[in-house]
Structures are given as C-alpha cells and as structure tokens.
Amino acid sequence: MRKRSILTALLIPCGLVANAALAQEDLYRWAAPTANEQLAADATVVPSGQGALFAPAMSSDRQDEPQVLVFRGDQQVASGKTGERIVVPPGEYVVHVGSGAINQMVRNEVSVTAGRTTMVDPVWGGLRIEVVDENNIAFRGTYEIIRSTDREVLGIGYGRDLLQGEPLNTWLLEPGLYRIVRSGETYRARRDFATVDVRAGSLVRFKLVQNETTGEFRGAGVVSAEEAGEAGADTYWTRRVTLGGAVSFNTTDNVAGATNQSTINGLVFLDTYVTYDDGANFGSALFELEEGVLRVDPEGSDALPTQKTQDRFRTDLLYVRFVNEHWGPYARFGILTNLFASDVLATDDVNVAFNKLDGTRDVVFVPANSEYRTADAFGSLRVREGLGINYRLARNRWATLNWRGGIGFRQNNFNDAFLLDDSAATPELDYFEIDDFNEEGLETTLVGSVRMTRNLLWITDFGVFGDFGDLGDPTIDWRNTLSLRLSRRISIDYTADILRQPQVIDETQLRQNVLLRFSWDLL
C-alpha cells in the first residue's frame, strides 16, 4: 500500500505537467493544418530541373500573412506566399519570413536540390491581434507593435471591419517579448500598452479592447482559439455571442454638499456577430442591442419619471462571393433604429411647440419634472441595402487596399419624430417634425493602409454615396490617419475626418487633430 502511495505521488505531478503542456499546445495551435498537410495539398508545379521552397502558413487564409522573400547573397531572386511552393533553381538561399522591414524578418538558410521541395522550418511565431470595442464587436482600431529586446518599432496594425469583409492580418515575428501600444505612443508608455510573448512555431491570438472613439485601451490579453471564435482548424466559421448587463443602486443621506436621494441605473446589452469565410464565400452578420434606464427618487418629493439612457438596435449583413482571391460581387443589408419611445425630462416649467409637416403648430405646457415625447418606438428607422463588386486591390507588405462599389438604397423613416431647432424669435421651445426621405444611388468605398516609408503610415477610409436624383451633390465620408515615427521616442499622429452631408448641412464638416507623443528615460 505504501509503494502504491509513493507511485501515485510521483505520477500525479507528471500528469499535471503533461496536462499543462497539452493545454499550452492547444492554446497556441495553428489555425491552418499542419505543415505536411499544407505541402500535400499544394498543387504548384515544379518544372524539371528546378526545386522549391515551402514556408508553412499558420493562419487559415495564407492571404492574411506577409510575403516570403528569397535571397541569394544580397539579391532578391523570388517571393511568394506562406503555404505555397516557391519555385527556384537548385542552390543555397536565405529565406526572409516576417512582418516589418527586411532586417526585422526571421532569416533561414536553406539548400534546394532539383526535383525536391525544401521545408522551411517555422522558427518564427505568429500573432493575430483582434481589436474590439467594449461590447466585443470587432472594428478597425489601430495599434503599434514594438520589439522589447531592442525597442525596434515593427509597424502599425489595425483590426478588421466586418462590414467591409476585411481579413484579420497575421504578424509573423521573431520569437520574443513584444509591446503593443496605442498608435503614436512610444515604448515608455505607462498607459495604453500591453505585452505578449511570441513563441517559435506558435500562433498567438490576442484580443485588444479599445474605445472606438478615443482609441484608449480598455483591456488586452491572449485568448484561446475558442474565445477567438475558431471552432477548430477545419472550420470556416467565426462567431461571438455576448450577453451582459449591469445594475447600480446608489443612495446619499446627510452627505455635505449632496442631495438626499436614491438612484437606480440599469443596462442590458446583446452583441453577436458571425462570419463565414472559405476563401470563395465570405459572409458576416452583426447584431447589437443596448437598453438602459435611470430612475431618480429625491427625498421629500415624488420620484422622477424613469428615463431611458440607451436605446439602440443594429443589424448588418454582408455577403461576398469571390470569383478569385481579388474580387467578387457583394450584397449588404443593414438596420439602425430605437425600440422604445423617446421622452425628454423638463427641469423647469416650459411651453413646447411641436411644428408639424402639415404646417400646424401645437403648443403644450409641460410642468417641471415631467416628460414630453419627441419620438415613438422605431422613431428613427434607417435601412441600408447595397449590391455591387468587392475588390481587393492590394495585399502586400507595403499596402492593403479594398474597394467596393455598386448600387445603394437608403430608407430613412422617422415615424412622427421631432428634432429640437429652437429659435430666439419665439418664447416656446421649438421642435420640428422630421420628414421621411428615401435615396437610391451609387455607393463606393475605399479602405486601405499604405506604408509610405518605413516610419510613415497612411490609413484611409473613403466613402461616397450619390443619389440618382442628384449625383452631382453626393454624401462624402472620408477618414484619415497619418502616423509618422520620428524616432523610438517621438512620433506624430495627424487625423482628419471630412464629412459632407448636404441633406443635413450645406457646409463640409471637418475634424482635425495633431498629436505629438514623446518619452525619455530619466534613469
């Protein structure tokens, strides 16, 4: 019995170590099949007298990974994709695999013989960074990645826009520790940064939570393949379902400088997106629901009416059929609306004038701490449809560029909703009924990033919609970010958002921001 106890005591730690090793291996497994399976599936023909190189892909779509460069001496003689044979004459070569500049890539010295394919040992590591908002919905947020050993900047990356059918790019990196910072920040950033350890032969899935408006980091970390939405190496599906909520109850009683009252604040949200991508077919479905309420009960007076703090329902569907790896037709459909009526709380006695589309004007007296209605349920129902062509213009180490163009349809139904447009010429608070309008026209969108130099990156999102009735006066939405890395410690970010929406205002709306970031080691 004692011998069995000793044996058990010895085997249990071994089992724990083995299980931990299997868990680690599963956490960093490739999204692509094994290297040998990829090689067997590749149909590239190797001519007689020639040989080939094969660098395996870690991602399910090799288009998401940077190019492989083949050098003989100082001369580049070939290039290709991971997961495909690269045909070269027999000889000695240096293969560069990785993201960033050539001197930042991982080097492999290989020998190629005629009639054979040389497997390039994957001594690099893969890193996929998905940027999501606080509700776990992927968006095109930006970040910067820096190698910790020498503080060398690898470049600026960005998340994917599901509604553009954008892929999530994979960084191929020299094994080691890397720091992910907010775009424009430096290695010495004390906020908006995270670190990740990239291991040779492993694929790291990293989730970065950002505020979509400010770009501030809200959280970050390594996630499993399952949490990243991958059901397995043989699946084409990515899916996320998030259901959440929060309730807060606050009271103040005999607090200096504060009102005695109780407040209850509640929020519930549901966020779901599903994508399917088998190379030829790409589809995405996104659903968002946010509802929030606030109730205030002051001491010594009646409770205020329950107020709606959030009310938003959104769904967007996109399907693209790729004829080849570059282009294919697309169809899209989207809805944005509110599910409940909208009321405004009057803090003082007020006369509210509702100016209707038929020319009538109703004036209503609203006492303090009462509400008046400005929109019914579905008071702002906006529907979007589109048909056309989606084209991947460029996907290489210098630029990514996606274009989409076709016919678009817009239905804007306001269902007796009113918009505040007060005038000093009248004593009442003036609201005007919003008229419905529909549009049919041409839509086009261009989304891309261009590495102009090693330290200068331009990210742009350019969208145009022109109604058939007035193609000469279209809606233009153009968002730009220009990031210049001056040194390891100093960078400049310039953003310019240009919006021309003649249905709302005649003048072009422009937002610009220039931000200089720097850091210095004092010790």
Side-chain angles (χ1 to χ4, degrees):
M1 180 67 70
R2 182 174 177 81
K3 290 182 179 179
R4 181 178 297 178
S5 300
I6 295 173
L7 181 60
T8 302
L10 292 173
L11 289 177
I12 287 177
C14 293
L16 293 175
V17 171
N19 288 336
L22 289 173
Q24 287 290 92
E25 182 180 351
D26 182 70
L27 182 63
Y28 298 111
R29 71 171 185 254
W30 293 7
T34 66
N36 289 332
E37 289 173 334
Q38 293 180 49
L39 182 59
D42 180 50
T44 303
V45 177
V46 181
S48 177
Q50 298 289 297
L53 299 164
F54 187 88
M58 294 181 173
S59 310
S60 55
D61 185 356
R62 59 180 178 269
Q63 300 293 330
D64 303 339
E65 299 187 357
Q67 284 185 308
V68 179
L69 307 181
V70 183
F71 282 77
R72 175 174 278 175
D74 296 330
Q75 184 69 33
Q76 181 181 335
V77 296
S79 65
K81 303 171 183 175
T82 55
E84 286 186 1
R85 286 180 173 87
I86 302 174
V87 178
V88 292
E92 304 296 322
Y93 297 94
V94 177
V95 180
H96 294 254
V97 179
S99 304
I102 293 177
N103 62 353
Q104 296 172 326
M105 296 180 176
V106 179
R107 293 164 47 94
N108 295 69
E109 297 182 0
V110 298
S111 178
V112 177
T113 57
R116 301 192 63 179
T117 298
T118 300
M119 178 74 73
V120 181
D121 187 23
V123 294
W124 58 88
L127 175 61
R128 292 170 65 84
I129 302 176
E130 182 169 34
V131 183
V132 300
D133 62 16
E134 289 92 335
N135 294 328
N136 204 31
I137 298 298
F139 73 99
R140 209 169 191 270
T142 60
Y143 59 87
E144 201 158 351
I145 185 166
I146 303 173
R147 190 165 53 202
S148 295
T149 52
D150 55 8
R151 303 184 182 181
E152 188 75 17
V153 179
L154 272 294
I156 294 179
Y158 51 88
R160 57 176 167 176
D161 186 344
L162 295 176
L163 304 182
Q164 301 288 350
E166 291 182 336
L168 185 62
N169 292 329
T170 302
W171 295 83
L172 297 183
L173 304 169
E174 177 185 345
L177 186 67
Y178 290 84
R179 179 167 293 215
I180 301 165
V181 300
R182 183 178 175 182
S183 180
E185 287 287 357
T186 65
Y187 182 85
R188 301 300 299 175
R190 290 295 176 261
R191 297 178 55 189
D192 299 320
F193 84 94
T195 57
V196 59
D197 182 25
V198 178
R199 305 176 182 182
S202 298
L203 177 63
V204 182
R205 298 161 181 86
F206 195 87
K207 180 181 289 188
L208 174 60
V209 185
Q210 272 189 338
N211 181 290
E212 190 170 1
T213 303
T214 65
E216 294 178 348
F217 287 13
R218 298 301 192 198
V222 177
V223 297
S224 65
E226 288 71 24
E227 187 176 345
E230 300 174 15
D234 58 347
T235 184
Y236 299 120
W237 291 94
T238 299
R239 44 192 172 269
R240 301 278 175 78
V241 179
T242 304
L243 175 64
V247 177
S248 63
F249 177 75
N250 301 283
T251 64
T252 54
D253 190 15
N254 300 322
V255 177
T259 303
N260 294 344
Q261 65 178 21
S262 301
T263 62
I264 300 177
N265 196 349
L267 170 69
V268 63
F269 63 87
L270 172 66
D271 294 299
T272 302
Y273 75 76
V274 179
T275 64
Y276 176 87
D277 187 359
D278 64 7
N281 300 278
F282 176 87
S284 68
L286 183 148
F287 302 92
E288 291 182 281
L289 175 64
E290 292 184 60
E291 302 295 337
V293 295
L294 172 66
R295 180 175 175 82
V296 180
D297 187 3
E299 184 179 309
S301 60
D302 295 335
L304 300 179
T306 301
Q307 303 166 55
K308 182 176 70 173
T309 56
Q310 297 187 59
D311 182 14
R312 183 172 183 264
F313 173 77
R314 172 193 176 193
T315 179
D316 280 289
L317 309 175
L318 171 69
Y319 173 73
V320 183
R321 169 65 180 180
F322 285 100
V323 177
N324 56 40
E325 65 182 41
H326 295 292
W327 73 277
Y330 77 86
R332 63 173 305 213
F333 173 80
I335 294 176
L336 179 63
T337 188
N338 60 296
L339 299 185
F340 300 97
S342 299
D343 299 305
V344 177
L345 179 66
T347 56
D348 298 300
D349 293 347
V350 64
N351 288 308
V352 182
F354 294 96
N355 300 275
K356 299 183 179 180
L357 293 173
D358 60 8
T360 61
R361 176 183 170 90
D362 293 341
V363 179
V364 179
F365 172 73
V366 182
N369 297 332
S370 300
E371 291 182 323
Y372 56 93
R373 180 150 298 179
T374 57
D376 293 328
F378 305 101
S380 177
L381 177 61
R382 287 175 279 182
V383 184
R384 305 287 186 266
E385 305 96 1
L387 298 168
I389 298 295
N390 192 93
Y391 196 94
R392 294 172 175 171
L393 295 172
R395 294 179 69 183
N396 55 52
R397 56 195 294 262
W398 295 109
T400 61
L401 200 60
N402 295 314
W403 172 83
R404 189 178 69 203
I407 299 175
F409 306 90
R410 309 285 190 270
Q411 295 87 49
N412 300 275
N413 302 311
F414 297 99
N415 302 319
D416 302 323
F418 287 83
L419 177 68
L420 177 64
D421 189 10
D422 195 29
S423 172
T426 62
E428 298 84 16
L429 190 64
D430 279 294
Y431 281 82
F432 290 83
E433 187 176 359
I434 308 172
D435 196 6
D436 299 340
F437 66 95
N438 298 329
E439 298 175 291
E440 302 84 28
L442 300 178
E443 65 177 14
T444 183
T445 303
L446 189 67
V447 178
S449 64
V450 180
R451 183 172 296 282
M452 307 174 75
T453 67
R454 177 177 173 179
N455 298 320
L456 181 61
L457 181 70
W458 174 38
I459 299 174
T460 186
D461 188 332
F462 181 74
V464 178
F465 178 84
D467 188 87
F468 285 134
D470 193 6
L471 288 176
D473 200 17
T475 297
I476 298 175
D477 188 358
W478 190 12
R479 306 172 188 177
N480 298 273
T481 299
L482 198 63
S483 182
L484 175 61
R485 172 67 65 176
L486 300 177
S487 69
R488 294 181 183 179
R489 298 182 174 89
I490 303 175
S491 64
I492 297 177
D493 274 9
Y494 167 71
T495 60
D497 296 340
I498 302 170
L499 177 61
R500 186 178 184 278
Q501 199 169 16
Q503 302 94 334
V504 178
I505 187 172
D506 293 332
E507 291 78 12
T508 298
Q509 303 173 53
L510 174 62
R511 293 183 180 180
Q512 298 182 82
N513 182 48
V514 177
L515 184 61
L516 173 65
R517 292 190 173 100
F518 62 91
S519 67
W520 196 263
D521 294 335
L522 297 178
L523 296 175

